[in-house]
Amino acid sequence: MSGEPVLELDEVTKVYGEEPPVAALRGVSFSIRQGELAAIVGPSGSGKSTLLHIMGTLERPSSGTVRIRGIDAERLDDRELSLLRAREIGFVFQQFFLAEHATVRENVADGLLYAGVPAPERYRRADEALERVGLSDRATFKPTKISGGQRQRVAIARALVGSPAIVLADEPTGNLDSRTGASIMDLLRELGAAGSTIVMITHDASLADQLPRQIRILDGQVVSDSRGDHDLTVAESEPS
Amino acid sequence: MSAASGRLSLKDGLRVASVGLRARRLRAALSALGIAIGTAAIVAVLGLSSSSQAGLLAEIDRLGTNMLTVEAGQTVTGQPVELPTEAPSRLTLLQDVQQVAHTGLIKGKGVYRSPIIPATQTGGLQVRAASLDLLTVLNTNVAEGSWLNPGTARVPVAVLGSVAAERLGIGAAFTGERVWLGGQWFDVVGVLESSPLAPDVDTSALIGYPAAKRYLGYLSLARGVRKAGPPSSIYVRADTDRVAATQPLLAPTANPREPDGVDVSQPSDALTARAAAAGAFNSLFLGLGVVALIVGAVGVANIMIISVLERRSEIGLRRALGATEGQIRMQFLTESILLAAIGGIAGVLAGIVATAVYASSKNWAIVVPVEAWAGGIASAILIGAAAGLLPAIRASRMSPTEALRTV
């Protein structure tokens, strides 16, 4: 399962504030390959949210490089970076972030809104994505009329609709009960098996252990990587 | 990844920009209302001014602009000069004069409801002898009853001008009504419509020249003959194209001996001036409209700022979905413009309805100048843009991570 690397972080640091500076990330390096299913796990305050934002190019690192499909994000301006996000990165959030006044289908299609795809094509692909998450029969519903687990499936469909290089899922089961959460985990594994590249951020080690690869971070540093392909400064990498 | 940019189509852009308005309809309606009130006030003020002007101009058109009035005036030393009795017949001889009618003010006579009313309480009314063709020349009609004829002009009957009838309390059912005029009863046979070209006629009781001579002793000596008269106002209809050329001829023709003692005027000029004054809009109300618009703009700006704060997670999500700073800025700017434009359009419609209702109650043509409605919508759009600019810039500057963090 070692395809081309789709996301590469090299010595990424992130420092917030001036006086005194707070380092949220300290020299993080790893790469995610095409088709990989990985968990980034760490307690709150470990820097995993910052890591998610930097991986998703929502935030620029203080130093180090982030490459998406070989493209150095540092070299792109806001417009190019936004287009990169629109086409290559899918986000799934703990709070779903669905538009309540739009239908499920419109919510999913809006995943391609800023990617320069014409409307009929967006809706056609939205229907496909909804089929992949098993919600074709809810396409015309408003998000307020479906369950929490279904809402997260809609959000996952929205992340998948543009066939991005990588899907970043931030605590995707955080707002769900354990049974529903388990079904979302099943879905992520299915999607991974079907070839999607998914990185899940979580504080829950037992969830992380359900995925083939775990990258553990603590205090802004990677402490272990179950399939590391970079030299790690703090912990030894385990062979995959 | 193709080279095409992620620009939104116009339809997508409008859909995205109206998300906030559709989600909070009442709030959107209330903030649009502020703009609507201001726009409505401005459009209605401009519309009513133009409509009342159009009404007056239509009235002037109907009455004709070719009437000239010749009146007894004063010498340079201030002595009153009477018009000669034969002045009307001389004026008819002028080439471009089409019709001539005249009235003679009978001084010292009043018209009263009854003999017991003190003579000093004239009510501002006058008694005039009138030539029988007066109505034709003034282009006025009888509102009720009938006008004088060669028969009734000899007997004690009167026709009242519109204002005179009102002040004497003689309305539509005047059959059998009579007025105390010059020390005897005169039967009222008719009431006139108002005649804007000769306001003096409105405030007069009109009787025939023969009756004036016989009952009121209104006569003068002309070439040794005692004739009824003299006329004090002569109304001349001239060839429409020759009015300017005819005007200077009237005074010397009417009174060759003392042309300086004759006043010649064109009453439609005064009406035209009045129309121009009516067209000058009421600046007080216009000012109030502008104030309402400014207050509305502040309301829109306020709502937009609140909206940006409330919708941080939406902004964060859109940035995560690939919206550029420019697209976020455009979304909120367009939303603000849409909001103000909706208010502007509603205000223009309300202003037009107000104008239409008032103008039709006055029988004016409904005129809403293009500058009023186009300007109303345009200023609403400008206000929306101005009010939305700062909130839109704030929204676009918000960092996506900060926007996503606040939930």
Side-chain angles (χ1 to χ4, degrees), chain B residues 245-257:
Chain B
T246 307
Q247 190 158 1
L249 303 178
L250 295 182
T253 310
N255 194 346
R257 284 190 197 153

Side-chain angles (χ1 to χ4, degrees), chain B residues 101-103 128-138 140-153 157-161 174 188-193 201 204-209:
Chain B
H102 52 96
T103 63
R128 284 172 192 271
S131 65
L132 296 179
D133 50 4
L134 182 69
L135 296 197
T136 325
V137 175
L138 292 184
T140 271
N141 293 312
V142 179
E144 298 287 342
S146 57
W147 175 237
L148 300 169
N149 61 40
T152 53
V157 300
V159 173
L160 300 176
F174 58 83
V188 178
V189 296
V191 173
L192 299 182
E193 287 178 353
V201 169
S204 297
L206 301 162
I207 60 176
Y209 270 100

Side-chain angles (χ1 to χ4, degrees), chain A residues 16 53 58-59 78-79 82-89 91 93 95 97 101 110-111 113-116 122 158, chain B residues 1-2 4-6 8 12 15-16 23 313 317-325 327 331 400-401 404 407:
Chain A
Y16 287 110
H53 292 149
L58 290 169
E59 199 161 24
D78 175 66
R79 184 189 295 254
S82 297
L83 195 57
L84 180 77
R85 274 202 297 276
R87 292 180 175 169
E88 301 295 355
I89 303 170
F91 287 91
F93 298 101
Q95 301 88 356
F97 291 144
H101 294 269
D110 274 354
L113 183 61
Y114 298 101
R122 291 204 299 268
R158 182 179 62 195
Chain B
M1 187 166 148
S2 78
S5 74
L8 296 191
D12 284 329
R15 182 173 66 84
V16 167
S313 60
L317 173 72
R318 288 189 186 281
R319 297 284 278 142
L321 292 180
T324 63
E325 284 182 20
Q327 283 168 331
Q331 174 184 343
T401 56
L404 284 169
V407 181

Side-chain angles (χ1 to χ4, degrees), chain B residues 198-218:
Chain B
D200 286 346
V201 169
D202 289 345
T203 56
S204 297
L206 301 162
I207 60 176
Y209 270 100
K213 177 183 169 189
R214 183 165 167 194
Y215 299 104
L216 304 178
Y218 184 57

Side-chain angles (χ1 to χ4, degrees), chain A residues 114-133:
Chain A
Y114 298 101
V117 178
E121 175 69 7
R122 291 204 299 268
Y123 285 108
R124 193 185 62 72
R125 287 166 74 171
D127 290 337
E128 285 176 10
L130 279 172
E131 200 173 329
R132 287 182 72 186
V133 300

Side-chain angles (χ1 to χ4, degrees), chain A residues 85-164:
Chain A
R85 274 202 297 276
R87 292 180 175 169
E88 301 295 355
I89 303 170
F91 287 91
V92 177
F93 298 101
Q94 183 176 352
Q95 301 88 356
F96 321 143
F97 291 144
L98 299 178
E100 290 180 3
H101 294 269
T103 63
V104 161
R105 189 166 181 251
E106 287 164 344
N107 266 288
V108 174
D110 274 354
L112 280 167
L113 183 61
Y114 298 101
V117 178
E121 175 69 7
R122 291 204 299 268
Y123 285 108
R124 193 185 62 72
R125 287 166 74 171
D127 290 337
E128 285 176 10
L130 279 172
E131 200 173 329
R132 287 182 72 186
V133 300
L135 277 182
S136 293
D137 56 336
R138 296 287 186 272
T140 57
F141 283 50
K142 294 279 167 68
T144 45
K145 302 289 179 198
I146 58 177
S147 71
Q150 288 173 329
R151 283 181 218 177
Q152 194 59 298
R153 281 168 189 265
V154 173
I156 290 169
R158 182 179 62 195
L160 290 171
V161 69
S163 308

